[in-house]
Amino acid sequence: MTRTAEDFQEASPRPESKGDKSPTPPPSEKRSLRQAPTPRTFYNPDTTPQRQHPSRTSSDSRQQHGQQGSPNNQMNGNTLNFPSFQSSSINAPIGRPVATPRNAPHEFINHKRRAAEVLISNPNRHGAGHQGAAPMVRISMGLKSGIPSEVDYALSQLVRISFESGDDLRAEAYPGLSEALFEKLVTIQSLADLHCSEGAGELLEDSKFVKQLEKINEAALVLRNMSLQPDNARYFSRLKNGRQIIVTCMNLPGQSCFTELKHYILDMVEAMAIHFSLAVDDDLFPTLHANLLSDDRGLVLGSLRAICRLVMGRDEANCIGQINKLAIDRIKALIMLEDEDLVSACLDFLYQYTTNEENVEKLIQPPDGIEIVKQLTRLLLYQAVPGDQVVFLTSSSKPIIKTTGIPSLPQEIVSDLLSYAEPDRAAKWMRCCFEEDPSADITQIALWQAYQARFTEYVAAGRPLLPAAEFIKNVSVAFNSASAMVLPIPGGGQKFIIKGIKPRETPMSIKGQVYLSCKWITGTNNTTNGTNGVNGASGISGANGANGTEAAHAQPVQPTKCPAQLATPQDLWVHILKDHLSPPDSTLEPQAKLLCNWGGCERFHPDGDPDRRKMMAHVRTHMPETSPPKSLHPASRHRAANDWLEDPKQIKLVIRRNQTGIDDRGEAAGIPLTAVLVLRNVARRGMFNAKELLIGERPVLFEIMAVNKPLAVYIADLLVEEDEASVDD
């Protein structure tokens, strides 16, 4: 590439070889070095609509002629030179107008008239003036024709129609359609016999076999969709050889290529089962029984549903009892899975299975019986949603006996107060006997007299009282919201009150512990000679005297409560057992009976009960809780006085709930309902073995009955059945 014409030196001539037959250049021409390569010019046709006539000079013509005539000019220095080329003609497409309703409306206006003219002019023409058969008629005729293309068209259209508008596809409206579909299913037997020996893998590789099997599956799918209508299911069950065809399809080899067809057939059997007859020598039932041991979930699920529909309410011959123990054990194991559909189908099967006493005895045989009962009890809270139900209880219509006076302090509280000097002692005394209430008030004279009456006896011992004026001022120190007020009285007088406090029902200690008062009714304020009919102190029923009756009519009876006040619930219980429920002397009163006189309780009135243990168990329900509520503040580690009230205006009660599935009416539904019905069948027909199994689950059943409201009625029936079984035994 660095050699040029200037630095080239001509070499000496070589002798011409004999083999060189190339022409010798004329002596006038000189050899020269190769020139620079000519730029490549690619083909670029002229697309202008008109032909061009470019002017050519003589030199251009000679140059082009020289290039075409000399082959050396096209390849000089091993470089290709492409000659220029121009197309001599243009091959552009020629457009032709197309008639449309927009640009040629006259062509489409008289279409029907021209068709009528053709019919008149040539009436013998085949199909002239006929719109064709209805779609369903063509589908039905094509299916019966046996022509492969027509059968394929008919099956594809039926699959679409049965899916989109299956409710309108009635078997009775199209005679012969269902029979043709069942005849298509018959071909599966010959197809399986011809190819099943080659193996499942080879079957799927055979395109002809796959095509035929696909068309049979389409026919089965159409029948399956149609059978969901009750009228179609009844029609199919009456077809000749229809049941035998179904059994044949279900008895196909266990190869995977036939699984889809079996699923469609099982759905058909489930829909048609209520129209089939059931007998001991039935050929359909053993086929369904064999599928229970299959490894295919769909076959097991479909077979369980079909068996339940087949024996529902009409298994007098106990055909379901023919199922062997191996299949029953597998069903027991399947209910432990977290598969809702499979568990529901297994429980439906067990419900039908336990309607016979012999089947129940086989089901609960030890040791498997304990496990099946535990699993059924566990399913009572299947997918339960835990939560709390808040209930507000209002007071009863009975009058509530409340003490309006200032409570008297026990001696232990008085001893603690005497250790303080005035005015601290007065402030603490107010807190022990009163509590804040913005709507209540008390007269200043009543407050001062109660304080004076309680501590006057200790003045001689060197503990003087606070003056009355200072005592009244000290109320605001004990209670921030309390204040002394003067109210005018009609008639010109004045009333001096303390606004914002009220007496406690029971006193409170300096440390904040609220005492408990005994609410046992010891008698009435109009008793005469002890003949009021009730020995209130001991709770023993006596004779009703005439004097007591006359006194009762003379003035209203006012109950008198026991004045005892105890620090803890244990002390209150000991007090009741000792003073109010002491054992009566059988020598003095052999027929004495005990009564509950706690706060107006009428549980054993008027006859009473001689059983002291029964009475103690009842009175125990009136006692407050033995353990005080936990609190971080020392002053509130004991219950307030209002918390111990038996009849508050409103009580907030929180009930624990475990809600399971319910239907539109709010009643129990789903797996928990079926599980409790199976347990009830076991309790009714299981005899002694069932009683022994259910006794161990009674605590769990009672708890579920308390927290699961929809199932409470059914569990109560189950427990009643268990109790009746124990009575019969």
Side-chain angles (χ1 to χ4, degrees), residues 115 142 176 206 345 359 367 385 436 490 502 523 599 606 679 691:
D206 188 353
N359 300 339
V385 178
E436 292 183 348
K502 69 176 182 180
L679 285 174
K691 172 190 170 184

Side-chain angles (χ1 to χ4, degrees), residues 55 68-69 103 393 401 410 462 505 593 622 628 697:
S55 61
Q68 295 177 2
N103 58 19
L393 303 179
I401 303 174
E505 184 181 5
K593 296 182 179 180
H622 296 304
E697 300 298 324

Side-chain angles (χ1 to χ4, degrees), residues 44-56 85-90:
N44 187 12
D46 188 5
T47 58
T48 57
Q50 298 179 357
R51 296 184 61 183
Q52 296 181 358
H53 303 279
S55 61
R56 298 181 179 178
F85 173 80
Q86 293 182 352
S87 176
S88 60
S89 62
I90 303 300

Side-chain angles (χ1 to χ4, degrees), residues 50-176:
Q50 298 179 357
R51 296 184 61 183
Q52 296 181 358
H53 303 279
S55 61
R56 298 181 179 178
T57 60
S58 59
S59 61
D60 295 336
S61 300
R62 289 194 300 266
Q63 183 179 359
Q64 292 181 3
H65 178 72
Q67 290 177 357
Q68 295 177 2
S70 176
N72 293 333
N73 292 337
Q74 295 184 5
M75 181 177 296
N76 186 10
N78 295 329
T79 302
L80 294 176
N81 297 328
F82 294 93
S84 61
F85 173 80
Q86 293 182 352
S87 176
S88 60
S89 62
I90 303 300
N91 297 325
I94 301 175
R96 195 168 77 180
V98 178
T100 63
R102 183 171 183 178
N103 58 19
H106 58 279
E107 296 289 340
F108 297 88
I109 292 177
N110 299 324
H111 178 72
K112 292 184 178 180
R113 187 178 64 184
R114 289 198 302 270
E117 293 175 354
V118 171
L119 179 62
I120 294 173
S121 61
N122 189 10
N124 296 326
R125 182 182 176 185
H126 179 71
H130 193 270
Q131 300 296 329
M136 285 302 303
V137 175
R138 182 190 172 186
I139 291 173
S140 179
M141 298 299 293
L143 193 61
K144 298 176 185 178
S145 67
I147 302 174
S149 59
E150 291 295 328
V151 172
D152 295 348
Y153 168 79
L155 289 175
S156 62
Q157 292 298 315
L158 283 175
V159 170
R160 179 184 60 83
I161 294 174
S162 65
F163 175 75
E164 296 177 354
S165 56
D167 296 341
D168 300 331
L169 191 59
R170 304 285 180 174
E172 296 179 352
Y174 307 102

Side-chain angles (χ1 to χ4, degrees), residues 147-368:
I147 302 174
S149 59
E150 291 295 328
V151 172
D152 295 348
Y153 168 79
L155 289 175
S156 62
Q157 292 298 315
L158 283 175
V159 170
R160 179 184 60 83
I161 294 174
S162 65
F163 175 75
E164 296 177 354
S165 56
D167 296 341
D168 300 331
L169 191 59
R170 304 285 180 174
E172 296 179 352
Y174 307 102
L177 178 63
S178 303
E179 290 80 356
L181 291 172
F182 271 95
E183 290 177 2
K184 187 65 177 177
L185 295 182
V186 175
T187 60
I188 188 63
Q189 184 64 47
S190 59
L191 186 65
D193 294 341
L194 184 61
H195 296 84
C196 65
S197 60
E198 301 179 2
E202 298 178 357
L203 288 178
L204 297 179
E205 294 176 359
D206 188 353
S207 60
K208 183 179 179 181
F209 171 80
V210 172
K211 181 67 175 179
Q212 294 177 352
L213 182 60
E214 180 182 355
K215 295 307 172 182
I216 295 175
N217 288 338
E218 289 181 357
L221 178 58
V222 174
L223 290 173
R224 179 261 181 197
N225 293 341
M226 293 178 63
S227 66
L228 298 181
Q229 287 293 329
D231 295 339
N232 293 340
R234 187 184 302 108
Y235 184 87
F236 293 163
S237 63
R238 298 173 182 175
L239 290 179
K240 183 180 180 181
N241 298 330
R243 183 166 181 165
Q244 186 62 36
I245 295 173
I246 290 176
V247 174
T248 301
C249 293
M250 294 179 60
N251 288 327
L252 290 173
Q255 300 177 3
S256 60
C257 57
F258 301 114
T259 302
E260 181 181 358
L261 177 61
K262 292 182 179 179
H263 287 178
Y264 295 152
I265 297 299
L266 284 175
D267 291 343
M268 292 174 56
V269 174
E270 181 182 357
M272 301 162 55
I274 58 176
H275 306 293
F276 283 152
S277 61
L278 183 62
V280 178
D281 56 347
D282 187 14
D283 54 348
L284 178 61
F285 199 85
T287 304
L288 297 173
H289 174 200
N291 288 336
L292 297 180
L293 300 177
S294 174
D295 294 333
D296 188 281
R297 175 185 177 274
L299 293 180
V300 176
L301 184 59
S303 299
L304 287 172
R305 291 174 175 173
I307 290 174
C308 293
R309 295 271 292 179
L310 198 61
V311 303
M312 185 182 299
R314 52 177 183 155
D315 192 12
E316 293 82 3
N318 192 22
C319 293
I320 198 173
Q322 300 176 4
I323 299 178
N324 56 30
K325 187 177 183 300
L326 186 60
I328 298 299
D329 292 341
R330 189 178 190 191
I331 293 175
K332 292 180 184 178
L334 289 178
I335 64 175
M336 293 187 288
L337 300 178
E338 293 298 329
D339 190 331
E340 184 175 358
D341 293 336
L342 199 56
V343 172
S344 179
C346 291
L347 289 178
D348 291 337
F349 173 85
L350 290 177
Y351 177 76
Q352 300 297 332
Y353 188 78
T354 53
T355 55
N356 187 279
E357 294 182 0
E358 297 179 1
N359 300 339
V360 174
E361 288 295 331
K362 291 188 292 184
L363 183 67
I364 62 176
Q365 285 295 328
D368 296 337

